[in-house]
Amino acid sequence: MPQVRIVPKNFMDLVAALPAAKLDKLYDSVFICEAVLRSLPPLAKKYVLQMLFIDFPVTAKSMEEWVLADGLSKHKVAIDRLLQLRVIHEVSERKKETSYRMNPKFQKNLQQYLTHGGTLPREPMPPNVTVRLPTLEDLEVYAHQQWECFLLQLINSSQAERLTSFSSSTMRVFQRGLLSSRENEAPKLTENGFQFLLMDTNAQLWYIIREYISTSEDRGVDPTDLISFLLELSFHTLGEAYNLNTLTDVQRNAIKDLADLGLVKLQQGRKESWFIPTKLATNLSVSLTDSSSRKEGFVVVETNFRMYAYSTSRLHSEILRLFSRIEYQLPNLIVGAITKESLYNAFENGITAEQIVSFLQQNAHPRVAEKIPTVPENVTDQIRLWETDRNRVEMIPSHLYEDFPSKDLFEACCDFAREYNCLLWEDSKKMRLIVRGEFHQQMRDFLRRPKQ
């Protein structure tokens, strides 16, 4: 079954995928060199600091001696990561001995950073210029509302069109791969789209950011510039205001798109305009596995397949409808049931049993989140069994042949179909056979041939 494309665990996976020339261009920035250093595994950081003021190649054998014998697996991971990010280069010498040398541009900038200190991409605006900045709580509510509106528009545009300011071109970029549309038909969620809705917010954000960067060249934007700016955003302070006039044209266009998603909040003063990063932006450099970003859950599932969701969110209601039957809804409570029919509908849309189970576990209400298991085993087992039952039957277009005039002709047809691996079933007593649908024309031509 098609799956959502693998989402990078952190921004450095996107950086590592860049062509060598574009990656070296990124290292013109001191703060990006710092960001790369921070992202490295502990052992890789150690190697960078040890090699930082060495101007000649270091042999691979020498570097292996820097770790104990039981650390060789971590050593290999560290070297691979440094090579992927072009922090070090492999050098082959006359003795055919592999050596490593630091990227000169990365080395020079990091030396400068450690010796003289770094400077942030831009300074926050003074408090006397910016007035009535939102509190951190208000900012988090704003980011949550914007992101929820985007997801609602993804599910059903009519439910969110009054709440969002998304331009059609922006939505096409953000919804790429999640919606499909045919001529004279309303857009529909793809299998990737249904699976996307069950991801946690951090994973969803990374999927969108990846799509946004991968389509940047179609909009005339260098992906390196976009990656650099997005990395830069993660260095800004949460809740501080930054002058829009300090941005380039590319960055100003990007900031408007990111504001639609809730990564930044735009404000207008009497003379100046500014943007305020939210937690979604400052967490861009955080790994998907960081548990600190886990939200409080809201779902309780009982052994009788009843489901109670303590939420006032319309988005939560729409997501639960993807795999369950909603029976009634109160202002702060959604009551439903997980049924065979509702799950079959989810499977038909491309959602897997593991994704449903994972969603229920990750969003378990605090009252049950500490229990083991958080979702009753009979429910999770049954969800997987219903998926297995559905996948046991395979639909294959085929053709039935019968009423053969002779046993010899029947057996000759069976042998012909078997030769091309297209014989699905045969009944020698009643002289009937079934072949694959795409083999029908060849079988007809075979039957029309003159027989010896």
Side-chain angles (χ1 to χ4, degrees), residues 47 51 54 56-66 75 79 88-93 95-101:
Y47 291 163
M51 297 175 67
I54 299 177
F56 52 85
V58 180
T59 65
K61 186 176 180 181
S62 297
M63 293 185 69
E64 286 181 5
E65 293 175 354
W66 292 352
H75 168 79
I79 294 296
I88 62 174
H89 298 153
E90 190 172 302
V91 180
S92 297
E93 297 183 336
K95 297 179 181 179
K96 296 182 180 180
E97 186 176 18
T98 301
S99 299
Y100 300 110
R101 185 166 195 162

Side-chain angles (χ1 to χ4, degrees), residues 10-218:
N10 57 53
F11 224 120
M12 293 309 143
D13 290 339
L14 290 174
V15 173
L18 288 173
K22 291 184 180 293
L23 183 51
D24 286 340
K25 180 183 174 183
L26 273 181
Y27 290 152
D28 287 333
S29 168
V30 175
F31 77 84
I32 287 183
C33 294
E34 179 193 352
V36 170
L37 178 64
R38 289 181 177 183
S39 75
L40 294 173
L43 193 57
K45 288 179 185 176
K46 177 177 181 290
Y47 291 163
V48 170
L49 295 177
Q50 284 186 242
M51 297 175 67
L52 191 57
F53 291 93
I54 299 177
D55 295 327
F56 52 85
V58 180
T59 65
K61 186 176 180 181
S62 297
M63 293 185 69
E64 286 181 5
E65 293 175 354
W66 292 352
V67 294
L68 298 174
D70 59 355
L72 287 179
S73 60
K74 292 182 179 180
H75 168 79
K76 186 178 184 306
V77 170
I79 294 296
D80 288 346
R81 192 57 170 170
L82 291 172
L83 288 171
Q84 288 171 2
L85 290 166
R86 290 182 58 78
V87 172
I88 62 174
H89 298 153
E90 190 172 302
V91 180
S92 297
E93 297 183 336
R94 294 178 183 177
K95 297 179 181 179
K96 296 182 180 180
E97 186 176 18
T98 301
S99 299
Y100 300 110
R101 185 166 195 162
M102 285 199 71
N103 183 320
K105 189 180 295 186
F106 182 91
Q107 186 176 26
K108 180 182 177 181
N109 280 335
L110 206 55
Q111 285 175 353
Q112 179 184 345
Y113 172 75
L114 291 180
T115 305
H116 304 289
T119 57
L120 292 175
R122 60 182 53 82
E123 293 296 327
M125 297 180 70
N128 62 327
V129 176
T130 59
V131 292
R132 296 183 181 178
L133 290 182
T135 65
L136 294 183
E137 292 76 13
D138 292 339
L139 208 57
E140 187 165 355
V141 170
Y142 162 80
H144 177 75
Q145 288 177 341
Q146 287 295 110
W147 189 255
E148 185 166 302
C149 285
F150 164 69
L151 295 180
L152 275 173
Q153 185 142 331
L154 192 64
I155 298 172
N156 186 341
S157 59
S158 64
Q159 295 186 18
E161 58 187 0
R162 297 181 181 179
L163 302 176
T164 61
S165 57
F166 296 120
S167 67
S168 57
S169 58
T170 301
M171 286 304 294
R172 279 196 296 271
V173 172
F174 290 153
Q175 295 172 346
R176 181 173 177 261
L178 303 177
L179 289 179
S180 64
S181 59
R182 297 180 180 178
E183 192 174 352
N184 300 325
E185 288 186 12
K188 294 182 179 180
L189 280 168
T190 62
E191 289 189 7
N192 281 355
F194 280 106
Q195 295 170 6
F196 171 83
L197 291 171
L198 294 188
M199 293 178 180
D200 62 71
T201 301
N202 210 1
Q204 289 173 338
L205 176 62
W206 273 108
Y207 184 95
I208 296 299
I209 291 298
R210 181 177 179 175
E211 291 301 314
Y212 188 59
I213 292 172
S214 67
T215 59
S216 60
E217 290 184 335
D218 298 337

Side-chain angles (χ1 to χ4, degrees), residues 297-301 306-313 316-317 320 324 326 328-336 359-360 363 365:
F298 60 97
V299 180
V300 176
V301 180
R306 299 280 291 177
M307 183 181 65
Y308 302 91
Y310 295 88
S311 173
T312 59
S313 169
H316 288 162
S317 174
L320 293 173
S324 65
I326 303 300
Y328 56 89
Q329 189 168 351
L330 300 177
N332 62 344
L333 176 65
I334 304 166
V335 180
F359 176 84
L360 294 173
N363 292 277
H365 191 277

Side-chain angles (χ1 to χ4, degrees), residues 214-233:
S214 67
T215 59
S216 60
E217 290 184 335
D218 298 337
R219 305 189 300 276
V221 177
D222 188 334
T224 309
D225 294 337
L226 196 53
I227 288 176
S228 176
F229 178 58
L230 290 168
L231 256 180
E232 176 187 316
L233 271 182

